[in-house]
Amino acid sequence: MSAYTALTAAGYRAQVRDKATLFFTFAFPLLFLVVFGLIFSGQDVEQSGRPYISYIAPGVMSWGVANAAVFGIAFTLMQWRRDDLLRLIRLSPTPLTTVLASRYVLALVVGVVQAAVFVAVAMLPGFGLELDGRWPLVLPALVLGITAFMAIGVIVGNYARTPEAVAAIANCMMVPMAFLSGSFLPLDMMPSWLRTVSRVLPLRYLNDAASGALTGTGSLASIGIGCAALAGFALLFGAIGLKTFRWSDQS
């Protein structure tokens, strides 16, 4: 068995056994969907005339997937470093790329399943999300988004030394980013300067690409721009994550 297969299998077993974390990874975004879906049920956004659900569902789904990618890898790296597992891996022939690749596959599987469950619930009669015919285009956006946010999680996991630090740093980034990127409220309701600020945030582009693919808003070019921006963020944050990576808290 290769090191990659062994690490991936071990990561899978650890995730399946941690039923509480697994449950809340899926249930947390659905809770926001239920709350916002009930509050804005049957209402349209005044500025655009579009149903609220067409904003809220792709936005909350994107935030949930991004959140899981950041927290998953950040907690794992912090814990493995604190337990000296990373130092032991370093003593073996296993390269860093193999360690991260095994976690990347797990993050992709969790993110795609998470999105599928979320969309299925959003399409129930009580919420009423209607999928556009180009919904398969959400898949490349999800893959690139998970890649970018996992890279952010690597950076967080490199600096945080405790679970509390991971939660504090990640929440300080992800919660404001969700509001500024239109995950919880439509950007149409925000002042123009806040919409400008949102263009430097990766979640804005994941929201735009997911919304365009799932609900048909925007052009194919806008989905492509969202994917291209996410690829750029993934390269940028990936380079920073590799540059700042630490095998041990002693170094």
Side-chain angles (χ1 to χ4, degrees):
M1 181 182 290
S2 67
Y4 169 79
T5 305
L7 284 170
T8 305
Y12 170 76
R13 287 194 293 272
Q15 286 204 324
V16 171
R17 287 171 183 164
D18 189 359
K19 296 190 183 331
T21 301
L22 197 62
F23 172 78
F24 284 104
T25 297
F26 287 89
F28 198 38
L30 289 175
L31 178 63
F32 280 88
L33 174 67
V34 171
V35 170
F36 284 105
L38 292 177
I39 291 174
F40 298 114
S41 177
Q43 298 184 42
D44 297 335
V45 178
E46 183 179 348
Q47 289 80 355
S48 65
R50 292 176 52 211
Y52 269 104
I53 190 67
S54 67
Y55 282 101
I56 294 167
V60 176
M61 180 200 75
S62 298
W63 170 77
V65 169
N67 221 30
V70 170
F71 276 85
I73 187 66
F75 270 115
T76 298
L77 288 181
M78 178 279 304
Q79 194 160 15
W80 284 10
R81 188 179 299 107
R82 194 175 63 169
D83 295 345
D84 243 5
L85 288 178
L86 283 179
R87 190 179 63 82
L88 295 177
I89 293 174
R90 190 183 188 185
L91 296 177
S92 73
T94 305
L96 173 60
T97 50
T98 299
V99 177
L100 295 179
S102 69
R103 302 305 307 180
Y104 180 55
V105 168
L106 293 171
L108 285 180
V109 172
V110 169
V112 172
V113 174
Q114 193 182 17
V117 171
F118 188 92
V119 170
V121 173
M123 292 176 67
L124 293 175
F127 304 110
L129 176 67
E130 295 181 2
L131 283 187
D132 186 73
R134 58 190 186 190
W135 67 265
L137 293 177
V138 77
L139 291 174
L142 282 174
V143 170
L144 290 167
I146 290 167
T147 308
F149 281 96
M150 183 178 161
I152 293 174
V154 170
I155 298 172
V156 174
N158 287 343
Y159 287 103
R161 293 174 181 250
T162 64
E164 292 79 8
V166 170
I169 297 170
N171 278 322
C172 281
M173 286 193 306
M174 296 305 296
V175 174
M177 194 189 308
F179 282 98
L180 292 173
S181 300
S183 290
F184 297 149
L185 294 171
L187 286 172
D188 295 345
M189 300 173 63
M190 298 181 184
S192 60
W193 68 272
L194 273 181
R195 293 200 294 271
T196 302
V197 169
S198 73
R199 295 192 180 282
V200 301
L201 304 173
L203 190 55
R204 161 69 188 270
Y205 297 96
L206 181 54
N207 286 343
D208 286 352
S211 181
L214 293 177
T215 66
T217 58
S219 62
L220 286 175
S222 67
I223 300 174
I225 290 172
C227 289
L230 289 171
F233 280 115
L235 288 173
L236 173 64
F237 293 130
I240 296 173
L242 291 174
K243 181 73 176 175
T244 58
F245 186 82
R246 295 179 299 115
W247 291 95
S248 168
D249 281 338
Q250 305 306 317
S251 58

